[in-house]
Amino acid sequence: MDPRISRRDWLRGTALAALGLGLGPRLRLGAQELDRPPPEGRHINLAGNENPFGPAPAVVQAILRAAPQSSRYPFREEYVLKELLAQKEGVTIDHIVLGNGCDELLALAAAAFLGPGSSLIAADPTYFQITDYADKLGAEIRRIEHRLDTLQHDLPAMAAAVDGTTRLVYVCNPDNPSGTILPPDVVAAFCREVAPRAPVFVDEVYLDLQDDPVAQTQVALVKQRLPVIVGRSFSKLHGLAGHRIGYVVTTPELATALSHRQMSSVNYLGVAAARASLFETTFHAWSLRKIREGRARFCTLLDELDLRYVPSHGNFVFHRTGIPMADFQATMKERGFLVGWPHAPAARYPDWCRVSIGTDDEMKQYAVAMRDVFRRPAA
Amino acid sequence: MLSSPHLNRRDWLKSTGAVVASLAVASQFTSAKLRAQHEADRSARRAEPARISGNENPYGPSQMAIMAMMQALEGTYRYPGAETRKLIDLIAAKEGVKPENVVMGVGSGEILEVYGLWLGQQKGEVVTVSPGYSQMTRTMETLGSKIISVPLNDALEHDLDAMASKVGANTKCVYVCNPNNPTGTIVNAAKLKAFAIEVSKKAPVFIDEAYLECCDDFAGNTMVGLVAEGHNVAVARTFSKVYGLAGQRIGYGIMPAAMAEEVRKYSTGSLNLLGVVAATASLEDATYVEETRLKIKAERDKLCALLKELGRKYAEPNGNFVFFQTGMPIKTFQEKMLAENVQVGRPFPPLLDWCRISIGSPDEMTMAHAALKKVFAA
């Protein structure tokens, strides 16, 4: 069964669509309307690496059922979710730490291991959460430029940068914003070499967008008791970014170190949603297919417009525009789109942009804007 | 529609089509699978103990909050951005401060922690009471700060004079939980105001008002005005208590802008969309707080009457809980109550023959009353 249909049926069934408010179709911008920017807050958002295909219908139902219980702290529910995750990952529950998205866990790892006089090794560019928090803590951040030919992490150079001050190493695989991935055996060899000297945080939030995440994950290293922290999220494949649920799989020792720094807990409805979502594999297969189709179409457009990019393994594509990033963002905002990410562009990529893959409709509209900006009318 | 804070809730529900939605949800119930699930859920809930241990509020969330969450469901694949900014603006307007004075937290617990992280690194002293709420002071202690605990007075209230006498050159923070947790007592507003103005000249005064909306006179007791007046004071609030949204983890602090900027740096959390829209709708629900406060007060009064009847001493409650002397070790009392399917509060040293009972639903309180009568029958 096509999950699109059941979802629409479900929405119709519950008449949520009839509510109108807040559920109306997002502003549709036709080519003829592109001359006028939409009001603030009504842009098509291709800046967040969110999954517009959203959570499965069954997940939405689970949230509805749980909503009246949201006056309760989710202590017991958290425990049940952790048990399910432990089962899924093939570890015991003391290997799992839940967080407000993987972002919280990245910050906790920084807080647990870094401070003045210590150093963090990370690729340049890469995802900014752990480096941002390390910076606040006064740690030294050693940014190791990625390979300029492939935009992949330069793991040998990263390993060479480890010294006596290094307390944490960050590997984002697949990487954000480049979208590149490293073969699992290469990452594993790196971890085996480096982890005995400093824990390695392997951020796998985009890994479940691959065909074979089980074959690619580094969880096996955790099972071998190596000090490796594998980060995961419900924000990407599961389409639950708004609920802020992520987790790590790590050794019980490191799990304790992270939990000690934890300042809050996850939320009740997020836990209910995540629990339900774990069983929605058919929906996720559909959602993943949609993301990949959208990504492939966007890459075809980039080829046509002769804009350089690297093949992406995430729900986003990093590509050259030849236009300074702030100008390109402003140009696209005028046309109704938010693109890029909430940071200054990497020094080497002042004219590259990261674009998240939206719905088919959103991407069609974005293609019109791209052609307009790059002056290549459709053939 | 949502922007009118004075909208009557019934009108609001009607206008958003809640009636249509609830009918439609009910129609889903025709599925045998859902009926079975519903029955299983209800049976499971009936067999559960009365959980009156966590100071949760079973009267919440506001119906407007639930509706707001339902409406936001379609957008939960998104990170909250604009929604959070709107909530901050609403909070600032309600508190009479600017958005830059507002620090959002994953519950007010996160506010206590980040504040503690910020000040704890200075490795000075923090003045608080015993027994009191220790989330912030413990954070400071782990960073090498020293906790100076001032005993509560005989009525289990803050002894502000004694606290003031402990404030010295090395004091980095003074923490006042008002109403106090676990005792539920409140400090005289005029005295607290004078205390805060005076003491905050030497060290920041942090006033934790997580339970203040449950007391009889919120407006007369809140110290948030001191922040707007420019004093070195921070006030924390939460949506977990009177607003009944503990599960969605939204709290905030109001403090001087420069302090807010420092404190925010330490935050590791991130707010969830449904919590944010629920909190926003709760603030827009003009009648919810007063209705809920009265429901809590009614059950609290009944519990106090029973405790009096059973000859139990209790502290004057102003929150959604009552702290009373059991005359037996707390562990023993917990076990006796659990045998009656009632889960009561944790130990609060040094008062280890006292217990904190949270105000639960009327059903839960009926169970609690019966259990208390049985435990204290002999």
Side-chain angles (χ1 to χ4, degrees):
Chain A
M1 189 178 59
D2 186 338
R4 264 178 309 181
I5 303 309
S6 65
R7 176 162 192 210
R8 192 169 304 152
D9 283 349
W10 181 85
L11 281 172
R12 197 184 298 141
T14 57
L16 273 176
L19 286 176
L21 281 188
L23 279 182
R26 272 189 308 282
L27 190 72
R28 283 159 195 275
L29 283 174
Q32 70 281 8
E33 289 160 318
L34 280 172
D35 53 335
R36 202 155 30 100
E40 202 58 40
R42 302 297 287 176
H43 293 80
I44 288 176
N45 188 337
L46 304 177
N49 286 1
E50 297 154 333
N51 176 353
F53 303 103
V59 173
V60 179
Q61 276 190 321
I63 300 169
L64 275 174
R65 266 178 53 211
Q69 295 298 307
S70 55
S71 61
R72 297 284 188 188
Y73 292 107
F75 304 131
R76 294 181 311 167
E77 289 72 15
E78 263 179 64
Y79 190 84
V80 176
L81 175 59
K82 278 167 77 170
E83 274 188 328
L84 284 172
L85 294 173
Q87 226 172 357
K88 178 181 180 235
E89 302 288 352
V91 295
T92 50
I93 192 168
D94 54 349
H95 290 69
I96 307 284
V97 185
L98 283 180
N100 286 290
C102 193
D103 271 356
E104 183 188 13
L105 298 155
L106 288 164
L108 292 178
F113 304 117
L114 299 173
S118 65
S119 67
L120 164 75
I121 314 273
D124 185 26
T126 193
Y127 186 53
F128 51 77
Q129 173 75 359
I130 204 165
T131 48
D132 275 4
Y133 209 84
D135 191 42
K136 287 180 200 170
L137 294 164
E140 181 200 341
I141 300 156
R142 293 197 189 144
R143 297 175 198 272
I144 310 301
E145 184 158 68
H146 65 203
R147 292 175 48 177
L148 296 175
D149 50 349
T150 62
L151 274 63
Q152 288 171 313
H153 282 29
D154 186 346
L155 292 183
M158 287 174 72
V162 175
D163 67 14
T165 68
T166 305
R167 296 284 173 275
L168 191 61
V169 179
Y170 178 62
V171 174
C172 193
N173 194 50
D175 183 39
N176 178 10
S178 72
T180 58
I181 197 166
L182 292 159
D185 52 328
V186 172
V187 180
F190 172 82
C191 290
R192 284 208 182 85
E193 181 191 345
V194 166
R197 302 171 68 190
V200 181
F201 196 120
V202 185
D203 184 339
E204 296 187 351
V205 302
Y206 298 101
L207 198 72
D208 49 11
L209 300 176
Q210 316 314 310
D211 280 329
D212 50 352
V214 175
Q216 300 227 28
T217 178
Q218 298 305 329
V219 162
L221 298 180
V222 173
K223 292 178 190 166
Q224 292 160 24
R225 312 291 284 191
L226 266 185
V228 168
I229 306 165
V230 175
R232 294 209 200 290
S233 174
F234 282 88
S235 300
K236 308 304 175 188
L237 179 65
H238 292 266
L240 291 168
H243 292 284
R244 314 306 301 116
I245 306 283
Y247 67 99
V248 296
V249 188
T250 188
T251 62
E253 296 74 28
L254 292 183
T256 306
L258 295 193
S259 315
H260 275 168
R261 298 286 173 162
Q262 204 142 26
M263 300 198 270
S264 55
S265 75
V266 290
N267 67 91
Y268 194 98
L269 297 180
V271 170
R275 269 175 69 177
S277 192
L278 283 174
F279 301 96
E280 295 302 317
T281 47
T282 310
F283 181 86
H284 294 151
W286 170 77
S287 177
L288 184 52
R289 180 163 58 82
K290 297 297 291 179
I291 290 168
R292 287 184 178 175
E293 287 170 2
R295 190 176 66 194
R297 276 194 298 269
F298 186 63
C299 289
T300 305
L301 175 70
L302 293 173
D303 286 332
E304 193 191 314
L305 297 177
D306 211 12
L307 297 172
R308 194 186 159 207
Y309 65 93
V310 279
S312 170
H313 293 80
N315 58 342
F316 54 90
V317 179
F318 188 52
H319 70 86
R320 187 164 180 273
T321 63
I323 300 170
M325 187 54 183
D327 295 344
F328 184 69
Q329 282 177 309
T331 298
M332 282 307 179
K333 195 168 176 187
E334 255 170 52
R335 288 167 169 77
F337 302 92
L338 303 178
V339 293
W341 70 357
H343 250 240
R348 193 173 276 279
Y349 298 95
D351 58 349
W352 284 58
C353 181
R354 188 195 73 180
V355 175
S356 311
I357 303 302
T359 61
D360 298 357
D361 200 34
E362 288 169 338
M363 294 312 284
K364 251 181 225 160
Q365 294 175 48
Y366 190 60
V368 173
M370 286 286 286
R371 286 179 199 285
D372 185 44
V373 170
F374 295 101
R375 310 272 178 235
R376 296 277 175 93
Chain B
M1 193 61 74
L2 272 174
S3 58
S4 163
H6 302 300
L7 200 64
N8 168 290
R9 189 198 307 158
R10 190 169 301 158
D11 288 347
W12 186 87
L13 286 173
K14 213 180 288 162
S15 69
T16 58
V19 183
V20 181
S22 60
L23 283 176
V25 170
S27 78
Q28 286 281 303
F29 197 66
T30 50
S31 132
K33 195 179 153 200
L34 276 176
R35 274 201 307 275
Q37 183 65 55
H38 180 75
E39 195 176 339
D41 286 352
R42 285 195 68 82
S43 309
R45 261 183 236 143
R46 284 167 65 88
E48 275 176 15
R51 283 192 287 149
I52 47 173
S53 51
N55 288 357
E56 296 159 329
N57 172 7
Y59 298 108
S62 142
Q63 283 171 271
M64 271 171 66
I66 291 187
M67 277 308 301
M69 290 195 279
M70 288 172 71
Q71 287 175 9
L73 278 179
E74 183 65 12
T76 55
Y77 68 96
R78 290 227 181 271
Y79 297 102
E83 294 84 358
T84 306
R85 287 191 291 277
K86 182 186 171 192
L87 175 59
I88 291 172
D89 287 346
L90 255 184
I91 288 170
K94 175 188 177 236
E95 304 289 358
V97 296
K98 293 188 178 136
E100 57 259 39
N101 298 111
V102 182
V103 182
M104 296 305 300
V106 181
S108 60
E110 193 193 14
I111 302 294
L112 298 177
E113 299 252 0
V114 289
Y115 204 86
L117 274 180
W118 172 55
L119 288 177
Q121 302 177 60
Q122 301 173 20
K123 301 189 195 303
E125 296 171 355
V126 52
V127 177
T128 183
V129 292
S130 173
Y133 197 61
S134 56
Q135 196 167 1
M136 176 198 294
T137 53
R138 258 200 332 253
T139 302
M140 293 182 69
E141 193 181 31
T142 56
L143 291 170
S145 302
K146 193 175 168 204
I147 299 176
I148 309 291
S149 282
V150 177
L152 297 173
N153 67 18
D154 289 344
L156 298 184
E157 294 161 345
H158 279 68
D159 183 342
L160 293 181
D161 294 336
M163 288 180 81
S165 75
K166 299 288 184 192
V167 176
N170 206 21
T171 305
K172 301 302 174 198
C173 181
V174 178
Y175 176 74
V176 178
C177 189
N178 193 44
N180 188 41
N181 184 6
T183 61
T185 52
I186 204 163
V187 196
N188 174 280
K191 275 190 193 160
L192 179 58
K193 190 172 178 184
F195 169 88
I197 289 172
E198 207 40 47
V199 168
S200 67
K201 289 172 187 163
K202 298 176 194 159
V205 175
F206 190 103
I207 303 173
D208 184 343
E209 297 187 349
Y211 297 98
L212 197 68
E213 288 105 336
C214 300
C215 85
D216 289 346
D217 180 15
F218 171 81
N221 281 283
T222 179
M223 293 295 139
V224 75
L226 295 179
V227 180
E229 286 165 26
H231 294 283
N232 192 17
V233 169
V235 171
R237 292 200 210 294
T238 179
F239 286 92
S240 300
K241 305 307 175 186
V242 84
Y243 289 105
L245 278 168
Q248 290 317 104
R249 318 303 299 109
I250 311 279
Y252 61 94
I254 302 292
M255 59 192 82
M259 186 187 277
E261 204 181 325
E262 284 301 312
V263 167
R264 266 190 218 109
K265 287 183 192 161
Y266 295 93
S267 168
T268 58
S270 127
L271 304 186
N272 66 92
L273 178 76
L274 295 185
V276 168
V277 298
T280 304
S282 298
L283 289 180
E284 287 165 338
D285 188 335
T287 55
Y288 170 82
V289 170
E290 186 59 6
E291 284 172 12
T292 308
R293 184 184 73 79
L294 291 174
K295 284 181 200 164
I296 291 168
K297 184 182 164 71
E299 289 296 338
R300 197 174 67 196
D301 287 349
K302 276 195 248 170
L303 179 59
C304 289
L306 176 68
L307 290 170
K308 206 174 275 177
E309 194 185 308
L310 296 173
R312 296 292 122 197
K313 194 170 147 188
Y314 61 88
E316 199 54 46
N318 292 273
N320 64 340
F321 54 91
V322 179
F323 194 58
F324 66 100
Q325 192 164 28
T326 64
M328 65 184 87
I330 178 69
K331 294 279 179 201
T332 309
F333 183 70
Q334 282 176 327
E335 282 163 23
K336 283 176 188 262
M337 291 296 279
L338 201 54
E340 304 303 318
N341 218 21
V342 177
Q343 191 184 308
V344 297
R346 61 183 164 90
F348 288 96
L351 299 180
L352 290 170
D353 66 336
W354 287 64
C355 177
R356 190 191 71 184
I357 283 187
S358 313
I359 302 303
S361 67
D363 282 353
E364 287 174 322
M365 295 315 286
T366 302
M367 285 168 77
H369 280 231
L372 286 168
K373 282 179 192 159
K374 195 162 169 189
V375 168
F376 291 118

